[in-house]
């Protein structure tokens, strides 16, 4: 299936075209940008009014992407001084108004990876000077009403997102088949234990935590239950799940498909375990009203209830083993956005 480009990749391409125009007076028809792993993407760009450049977002075969076909605009301006890049939210780009997200309050909702991709792209044309990058997405404010942005306190439009620069189309059967193939490969290499995470960032942290260089790590995406079932079928004797609290709290609530359209219950699970641990109503209310899991983590970190994460990790382990009728041992490690261990079940 065809891959597409994230809004972050489109913004980086439009910003690079603008930087080339500003530095050299050239109007580009195509530009090349890179993701943080060095993969290159060639995108078509358009010269627009007020010297903005735009890219039409193409989501490939991901039919559920509501931003498919929209235009992402960027314009670069040179400021006095050198060494920094500043971002401005134009029409249709949201602004962060609540704490707990990856971007500080008051900043445009342009996530860290897209910011870095934009910076790398712009610096190819304008290496040193202070730069302001204006991103706009006409119609973005209306489209954002169909996203989680209003609930997250992102006001005025869409977020500029992406971690790999590409949109991978969702074909469930193909994905599940590929997970089975990967587990078969791991088993055929002689491994009896499989390490499970949810995505690329989680795998990076998992490998660091367990000092792993081996091939027995699998990215389950949202299909943690399926991977556990297949691990049992293939006669593994142990599984260790390592993932962000936002995903694993869903498992603690009994959900084994963690896609946000299917499962949530994160705050409810966290509040329940805080109550069981003796937290007062004030703390529980703060958690229940928290904007994101990351904000909840910060609230708990400021309390005396950090031990609750170990309790939750044990419940995750228990829930997983109940699902597979205790046929293999399952351990859980809960981490935050930076890969710090919040809680873990006991490994024998």
């Amino acid at each position: 299936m065809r891959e597409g480009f994230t809004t972050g990749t489109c913004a980086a391409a439009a910003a690079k075209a603008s930087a080339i125009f500003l530095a050299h007076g050239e109007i580009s028809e195509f530009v090349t940008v890179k993701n943080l792993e060095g993969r290159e993407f060639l995108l078509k760009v358009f010269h627009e009014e007020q010297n903005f450049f735009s890219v039409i977002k193409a989501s490939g075969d991901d039919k559920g992407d509501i931003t498919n076909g929209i235009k992402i605009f960027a314009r670069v301006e040179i400021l006095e001084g050198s060494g920094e890049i500043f971002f401005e939210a134009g029409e249709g780009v949201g602004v962060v108004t609540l704490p707990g997200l990856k971007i500080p309050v008051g900043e445009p909702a342009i996530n860290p990876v897209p910011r870095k991709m934009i910076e790398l792209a712009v610096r190819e044309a304008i290496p040193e000077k202070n730069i302001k990058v204006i991103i706009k997405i006409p119609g973005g404010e209306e489209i954002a009403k169909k996203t989680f942005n209003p609930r997250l306190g992102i006001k005025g439009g869409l977020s500029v997102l992406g971690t790999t620069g590409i949109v991978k189309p969702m074909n469930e059967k193909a994905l599940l088949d590929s997970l089975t193939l990967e587990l078969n490969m791991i088993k055929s290499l002689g491994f009896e234990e499989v390490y499970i995470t949810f995505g690329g960032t989680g795998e990076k942290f998992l490998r660091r935590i367990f000092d792993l260089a081996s091939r027995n790590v699998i990215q389950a995406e949202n299909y943690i239950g399926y991977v556990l079932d297949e691990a049992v079928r293939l006669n593994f004797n142990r599984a260790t799940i390592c993932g962000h609290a936002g995903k694993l709290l869903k498992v603690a609530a009994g959900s084994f498909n963690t896609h946000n359209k299917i499962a949530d219950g994160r705050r409810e699970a966290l509040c329940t375990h805080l109550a069981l641990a003796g937290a007062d109503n004030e703390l529980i209310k703060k958690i229940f009203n928290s904007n994101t899991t990351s904000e909840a983590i910060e609230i708990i970190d400021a309390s005396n209830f950090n031990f609750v994460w170990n309790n939750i990790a044990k419940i995750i382990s228990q829930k997983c083993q109940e699902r597979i009728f205790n046929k293999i041992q399952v351990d859980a490690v809960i981490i935050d956005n930076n890969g710090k261990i919040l809680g873990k079940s006991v490994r024998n």
Side-chain angles (χ1 to χ4, degrees), residues 104 177 284:
D177 287 347
I284 293 170

Side-chain angles (χ1 to χ4, degrees), residues 245 248-250 252-253 264-293 295-297 299-300 303 305 307-309 311-312 315:
L248 284 178
L249 280 168
K250 296 180 182 182
D264 201 346
R266 292 166 295 175
R267 291 180 303 174
E268 291 80 359
L270 190 47
C271 288
T272 296
H273 288 287
L274 282 167
L276 290 171
D280 60 26
N281 283 341
E282 182 180 356
L283 177 59
I284 293 170
K285 285 180 180 177
K286 280 184 181 179
I287 296 298
F288 189 78
N289 292 317
S290 60
N291 196 39
T292 64
T293 305
E295 182 184 354
I297 290 169
I299 294 169
I300 292 173
S303 73
F305 283 88
F307 66 88
V308 78
W309 295 112
N311 298 350
I312 294 169
I315 289 296

Side-chain angles (χ1 to χ4, degrees), residues 208-227:
R208 187 183 72 192
I209 289 166
F210 291 101
D211 193 22
L212 276 179
S214 53
R215 294 289 299 274
N216 58 331
V217 178
I218 187 168
Q219 295 179 22
E221 303 290 341
N222 292 302
Y223 300 98
I224 191 71
Y226 179 85
V227 169

Side-chain angles (χ1 to χ4, degrees), residues 94-314:
V95 174
V96 177
T97 66
L98 294 175
L101 300 178
K102 296 177 182 179
I103 300 300
V105 170
E107 278 285 307
I110 303 169
N111 271 16
V113 171
R115 284 176 182 241
K116 187 63 178 175
M117 285 183 66
I118 292 167
E119 180 177 352
L120 290 170
V122 167
R123 287 304 185 202
E124 288 186 33
I126 307 174
E128 296 178 355
K129 297 181 179 180
N130 278 352
I131 297 291
K132 178 167 72 173
V133 180
I134 306 165
I135 306 293
K136 70 176 183 177
I137 308 174
E141 186 167 8
E142 193 62 31
I143 297 171
K145 294 175 183 177
K146 301 174 184 177
T147 72
F148 287 107
N149 276 15
R151 288 171 52 188
L152 297 174
I154 297 171
K155 301 210 171 159
L158 289 164
S159 302
V160 178
L161 302 172
T163 55
T164 63
I166 55 173
V167 175
K168 292 186 176 181
M170 197 68 175
N171 181 324
E172 187 172 68
K173 184 180 184 306
L175 178 56
L176 296 182
D177 287 347
S178 69
L179 291 172
T180 293
L181 286 171
E182 189 170 358
L183 282 169
N184 271 300
M185 178 274 293
I186 293 169
K187 186 67 176 178
S188 71
L189 292 174
F191 292 105
E192 297 298 329
E193 178 174 11
V194 62
Y195 289 83
I196 305 169
T197 187
F198 293 94
T201 301
E203 178 173 349
K204 179 181 73 174
F205 290 141
L206 182 153
R207 288 188 178 280
R208 187 183 72 192
I209 289 166
F210 291 101
D211 193 22
L212 276 179
S214 53
R215 294 289 299 274
N216 58 331
V217 178
I218 187 168
Q219 295 179 22
E221 303 290 341
N222 292 302
Y223 300 98
I224 191 71
Y226 179 85
V227 169
L228 286 171
D229 294 343
E230 287 293 273
V232 170
R233 186 180 68 80
L234 293 168
N235 295 315
F236 284 91
N237 60 30
R238 187 169 190 163
T240 299
I241 305 168
C242 179
H244 188 267
K247 289 286 190 183
L248 284 178
L249 280 168
K250 296 180 182 182
V251 180
S255 297
F256 289 92
N257 182 332
T258 58
H259 195 285
N260 57 25
K261 292 183 179 179
I262 294 173
D264 201 346
R266 292 166 295 175
R267 291 180 303 174
E268 291 80 359
L270 190 47
C271 288
T272 296
H273 288 287
L274 282 167
L276 290 171
D280 60 26
N281 283 341
E282 182 180 356
L283 177 59
I284 293 170
K285 285 180 180 177
K286 280 184 181 179
I287 296 298
F288 189 78
N289 292 317
S290 60
N291 196 39
T292 64
T293 305
S294 295
E295 182 184 354
I297 290 169
E298 291 179 5
I299 294 169
I300 292 173
D301 193 47
S303 73
N304 294 318
F305 283 88
N306 274 322
F307 66 88
V308 78
W309 295 112
N310 284 334
N311 298 350
I312 294 169
K314 291 173 185 175

